Amino acid sequence: MEDLSVESRINTFMLDIIDTSEYHNVEYLIFSIRKQFLNYMSGSRLKQFEIPAFLVPLVEKVIDVFNQSGISTVDMLQYMLNNDVNNWVHYYASVFIIPVAQGRENEFVPDLGDLFAYVMTGYILDVFREIRIDIEKIVKGEILLHETNQYGLSIVERVDFHRDYFVFEDKAYLYSILTNTTPLQFGDSMPGFARLINDEVDDGNVLLRLDERLALPKEQAISYSTLNFEKYHGPQFHFNRTSLKSPKTITVHIDGETLDKLLMVVKQDYDQVSEKTLWHIEIETLPHLQKDKEKGHRITTFLHGMYYPEDDLFTHIDCTKNQYDGESYERKYTENAPVDLYTKNNELHHKIWCIEQGHYSRELWYKLMVVSLNERYCKLLDEILQ
């Protein structure tokens, strides 16, 4: 009965933590670090364990609530070890916590109490971490302080791109979990889309999503990527094989092995200002609809460009994530509804980045498509363009 009581108190303690403002203030930031937080703790340590400034308020709250809970550190550690799903608690316990508690010195642990609180906080963040991306929930919690367009994007001048974040006005914004951060080539210091914008966009505006939940002072910027776990793919430039002179209204190609589909829609329009023909070129991924999986919302990658065939250039290219409810997506994928069906509202048409009011070549458009798509969809894109 005593064990059950201890477990019950620990569960209550952790639920109390995730109900605090300190937890909610960093929850989305932690979610956007693309690894378990206890893993990130290990990788971010330069020498001694130091609690990062952005996490100090939560760690202090954890300490306060834990001290009032009546739970012993021995019981808490044992609970975490018994429920250690990724073995990081065992790592910290066996290498640092237990040896130091037994009187051994360790140059990496200046304060055992602080380290224990840090590990306990990381454990709670990992246990209650969101396991599914929900754009509706992300948008609901967004904090956008800069002027935005109708899609929540802001013009960013003199933006400085890095591997896991970008710096704007002395703030480091972590790339959101929805951003494809795959680099263009091995070891690059920027995601592929950022490298292309940085190196090949000379005019027009760059627009990004400036969610303050992901912003830290630039000296506290979060870096978490390692070379060991990244996948790289560079574009294989097939674009010049097509002239895009004979657009089809709707084209769908399917991967015969995975049954994933890629949709390309070309809509002809007319620009009244320039008095020129304009094409809206839309590309959307349609992941295979797996009947045996629980039905829920589906997220696709949606890429849009505005192309002027007379000038042979684009003036606008953007990357978006679309979210559909399960029923709507099933009808879209099976083509029992218009395959170019859009999301039910603009909030679920969640733009990630955009370049506009410039002059962008077809080759740049193609490169941006490739770095924004998973490799299996790049093959389908080449099939469509050939």
Side-chain angles (χ1 to χ4, degrees):
M1 293 298 293
E2 179 63 26
D3 289 341
L4 290 176
S5 176
V6 169
E7 183 172 336
S8 177
R9 279 186 287 148
I10 291 175
N11 288 333
T12 299
F13 155 66
M14 292 194 296
L15 290 173
D16 287 343
I17 292 299
I18 67 171
D19 198 34
T20 65
S21 59
E22 289 84 357
Y23 178 86
H24 292 302
N25 287 342
V26 297
E27 181 182 17
Y28 183 58
L29 179 69
I30 300 302
F31 181 51
S32 295
I33 297 175
R34 304 175 191 215
K35 57 174 60 176
Q36 294 287 311
F37 192 77
L38 289 175
N39 184 354
Y40 166 75
M41 281 173 49
S42 176
S44 63
R45 176 176 63 84
L46 297 179
K47 188 175 181 182
Q48 293 184 336
F49 284 100
E50 295 182 2
I51 300 170
F54 69 84
L55 205 63
V56 168
L58 177 58
V59 174
E60 291 179 344
K61 174 61 72 172
V62 168
I63 292 172
D64 289 343
V65 177
F66 182 75
N67 288 340
Q68 297 171 26
S69 69
I71 303 166
S72 71
T73 54
V74 172
D75 285 339
M76 187 67 207
L77 180 59
Q78 190 60 56
Y79 176 92
M80 292 190 294
L81 289 169
N82 292 343
N83 298 277
D84 185 11
V85 296
N86 53 29
N87 290 323
W88 280 106
V89 175
H90 281 79
Y91 164 71
Y92 289 110
S94 62
V95 177
F96 302 106
I97 296 174
I98 294 175
V100 173
Q102 292 173 341
R104 302 179 197 172
E105 292 187 4
N106 190 309
E107 61 178 325
F108 304 123
V109 185
D111 187 297
L112 180 58
D114 284 350
L115 176 60
F116 185 79
Y118 192 14
V119 171
M120 188 163 50
T121 302
Y123 177 81
I124 294 171
L125 288 167
D126 284 345
V127 167
F128 293 97
R129 181 189 184 95
E130 293 279 358
I131 59 175
R132 191 172 192 194
I133 300 173
D134 186 340
I135 292 177
E136 193 165 17
K137 185 174 181 179
I138 290 174
V139 171
K140 185 178 180 180
E142 270 187 320
I143 302 175
L144 303 176
L145 301 182
H146 292 75
E147 181 179 354
T148 69
N149 63 13
Q150 62 178 324
Y151 296 108
L153 297 183
S154 300
I155 296 175
V156 291
E157 297 181 357
R158 295 180 294 277
V159 62
D160 187 11
F161 291 107
H162 294 264
R163 184 67 187 86
D164 299 314
Y165 61 91
F166 61 88
V167 175
F168 178 67
E169 294 185 348
D170 291 328
K171 290 183 180 179
Y173 290 83
L174 199 65
Y175 296 119
S176 84
I177 196 70
L178 290 163
T179 306
N180 187 333
T181 58
T182 304
L184 192 62
Q185 58 186 352
F186 183 83
D188 201 347
S189 61
M190 303 178 189
F193 84 93
R195 171 59 65 194
L196 292 170
I197 291 174
N198 185 77
D199 292 357
E200 301 192 27
V201 174
D202 299 321
D203 64 345
N205 296 323
V206 177
L207 292 88
L208 298 171
R209 213 167 191 95
L210 299 176
D211 189 344
E212 298 303 316
R213 295 176 301 170
L214 300 179
L216 295 171
K218 65 179 181 181
E219 60 271 15
Q220 297 176 25
I222 295 174
S223 296
Y224 58 85
S225 291
T226 60
L227 294 178
N228 296 334
F229 301 103
E230 294 170 346
K231 295 181 179 179
Y232 304 88
H233 65 273
Q236 303 297 316
F237 298 114
H238 302 300
F239 193 90
N240 289 331
R241 299 180 186 179
T242 177
S243 62
L244 284 181
K245 296 299 182 183
S246 302
K248 296 180 180 179
T249 303
I250 295 177
T251 306
V252 180
H253 276 228
I254 185 169
D255 186 313
E257 295 181 1
T258 66
L259 301 184
D260 296 321
K261 296 180 179 180
L262 188 68
L263 166 69
M264 183 173 183
V265 179
V266 180
K267 298 179 180 179
Q268 297 199 36
D269 200 351
Y270 188 77
D271 186 335
Q272 299 291 343
V273 177
S274 65
E275 298 183 341
K276 294 179 180 179
T277 298
L278 161 67
W279 294 356
H280 291 277
I281 302 178
E282 302 169 353
I283 292 173
E284 186 171 16
T285 61
L286 299 178
H288 173 46
L289 185 67
Q290 296 178 308
K291 297 284 188 178
D292 57 330
K293 295 292 180 69
E294 179 182 353
K295 289 189 176 181
H297 65 260
R298 303 298 178 102
I299 295 176
T300 69
T301 298
F302 182 92
L303 303 163
H304 168 241
M306 295 170 60
Y307 175 70
Y308 288 77
E310 182 178 332
D311 300 325
D312 191 24
L313 57 80
F314 287 80
T315 62
H316 174 111
I317 305 171
D318 69 70
C319 176
T320 301
K321 292 292 183 176
N322 281 345
Q323 181 167 302
Y324 303 92
D325 62 80
E327 182 180 349
S328 296
Y329 185 79
E330 181 176 1
R331 290 190 291 111
K332 181 182 178 77
Y333 178 86
T334 58
E335 301 180 34
N336 288 320
V339 73
D340 56 346
L341 173 77
Y342 292 128
T343 58
K344 66 180 181 181
N345 58 52
N346 275 351
E347 288 188 346
L348 299 181
H349 183 68
H350 190 77
K351 290 195 182 295
I352 307 299
W353 56 259
C354 171
I355 53 175
E356 64 178 12
Q357 297 183 18
H359 301 83
Y360 316 120
S361 68
R362 286 185 291 124
E363 183 179 50
L364 177 59
W365 171 84
Y366 174 80
K367 292 178 184 178
L368 286 169
M369 298 302 100
V370 169
V371 299
S372 301
L373 296 170
N374 290 332
E375 187 172 1
R376 64 187 187 277
Y377 293 110
C378 294
K379 296 177 182 178
L380 297 177
L381 175 62
D382 287 339
E383 291 177 6
I384 292 174
L385 294 177
Q386 286 175 357

